[in-house]
Amino acid sequence: MLTIAVSKGRIFEDALPLLAEAGIKPLDDPKKSRKLILNTTREDVRLVIIRATDVPTFVEYGAADLGIAGKDVLLEHGAENLYEPLDLGIAGCRLMTAAPVGAPDISGRIRVATKYVKTAQKYFADQGIQAEIIKLYGSMELAPLVGLADCIVDLVDTGNTLKANGLEARDLITNITSRLVVNKASMKMKHHAIQTLLGQFENTLSER
Ligand code: ATP
Ligand code: PRP
């Protein structure tokens, strides 16, 4: 049995066609079902449905053999205890700094609101910028509007969310796509099954 951890929402939407190409279709409609373990059209594969930020944890501890997670989540979690063999190229976006439109660059210590605390800390340290990082769990765009922070670190895709809140993207921290991650012990113990699945994903991706 192979257990694959995925999050509902955009990663799942984008991953479904890829999984289907490998013969993996959930037996219950994930949009309607409240089940957290979904059996699939492949008897040897099941999906566990978890929060996006929890995927590396489930895979690291072997609660799932494989997982699909955004590079943003992997950078923040630290992926040294996982294998990351494949860039699935799905759920693409950019991790960026953003500030109110036209706001001058601040010299000296800045306040930054983000849910990517470690990644932001590293980024500003590498830039030689002193930053106080304020951890938020969502609605980061609000922080500069109400004086909580000078700027934010968040994901940008179309830029619509920034625009709607009078913010503009400033610096690109890194491009983001979702990656397939694999538990290290599973890679040894279930080598054949996992390599076969990896090959199927690779074939599908190379045909896109
Ligand atoms: P959680 O439920 O753990 O809080 P979340 O609400 O961030 O996670 P999603 O919004 O579904 O969950 O995002 C999952 C992943 O999709 C992110 O980690 C990122 O890699 C990618 N992503 C997030 N926002 C966008 C976007 N606007 N466009 C494209 N990809 C995105
Ligand atoms: C993500 C991200 C930004 C937005 C960017 O939020 O946190 O707010 O998408 O996308 P855009 O540039 O296309 O507007 P999401 O929609 O996932 O909401 P949530 O993180 O608050 O759940």
Side-chain angles (χ1 to χ4, degrees):
M1 174 62 81
L2 285 180
T3 301
I4 307 178
V6 282
S7 57
K8 268 191 185 170
R10 49 171 66 82
I11 287 188
F12 201 68
E13 293 291 311
D14 288 3
L16 270 179
L18 204 57
L19 292 167
E21 289 282 344
I24 303 165
K25 294 182 188 163
L27 294 182
D28 292 284
D29 179 351
K31 280 198 190 121
K32 293 184 190 146
S33 175
R34 301 284 300 165
K35 284 185 187 170
L36 300 175
I37 299 179
L38 299 180
N39 290 323
T40 73
T41 42
R42 269 181 58 173
E43 273 185 1
D44 61 332
V45 179
R46 64 179 184 171
L47 305 178
V48 290
I49 309 297
I50 55 180
R51 294 285 295 266
T53 41
D54 289 334
V55 169
T57 307
F58 274 69
V59 176
E60 192 176 315
Y61 283 92
D65 301 296
L66 304 110
I68 299 177
K71 186 67 185 175
D72 51 321
V73 168
L74 296 172
L75 283 171
E76 188 63 19
H77 179 89
E80 52 282 347
N81 295 324
L82 301 166
Y83 290 125
E84 191 191 310
L86 205 53
D87 182 347
L88 300 174
I90 59 175
C93 53
R94 289 155 288 151
L95 186 66
M96 303 199 69
T97 65
V101 174
D105 281 341
I106 291 166
S107 54
R109 195 173 170 83
I110 58 168
R111 284 212 304 212
V112 183
T114 187
K115 68 174 169 183
Y116 301 102
V117 171
K118 287 186 199 154
T119 311
Q121 252 154 5
K122 180 173 183 324
Y123 172 75
F124 287 108
D126 288 350
Q127 302 289 310
I129 297 171
Q130 278 191 49
E132 178 186 348
I133 311 291
I134 300 173
K135 165 92 186 181
L136 294 179
Y137 292 87
S139 302
M140 267 79 77
E141 293 84 0
L142 185 60
L145 309 181
V146 294
L148 180 61
D150 302 301
C151 66
I152 64 170
V153 167
D154 196 11
L155 300 173
V156 181
D157 180 19
T158 61
N160 288 342
T161 310
L162 293 182
K163 201 172 167 200
N165 292 293
L167 304 181
E168 61 187 6
R170 292 282 170 89
D171 298 322
L172 175 69
I173 298 179
T174 183
N175 288 308
I176 302 292
T177 45
S178 290
R179 313 300 167 99
L180 188 75
V181 287
V182 183
N183 172 268
K184 288 194 168 174
S186 299
M187 191 67 121
K188 287 202 193 96
M189 310 285 287
K190 303 183 181 181
H191 186 77
H192 180 70
I194 289 175
Q195 283 304 332
T196 305
L197 197 58
L198 277 174
Q200 287 172 318
F201 287 148
E202 273 166 345
N203 281 343
T204 306
L205 293 173
S206 67
E207 284 163 10
R208 282 188 172 177

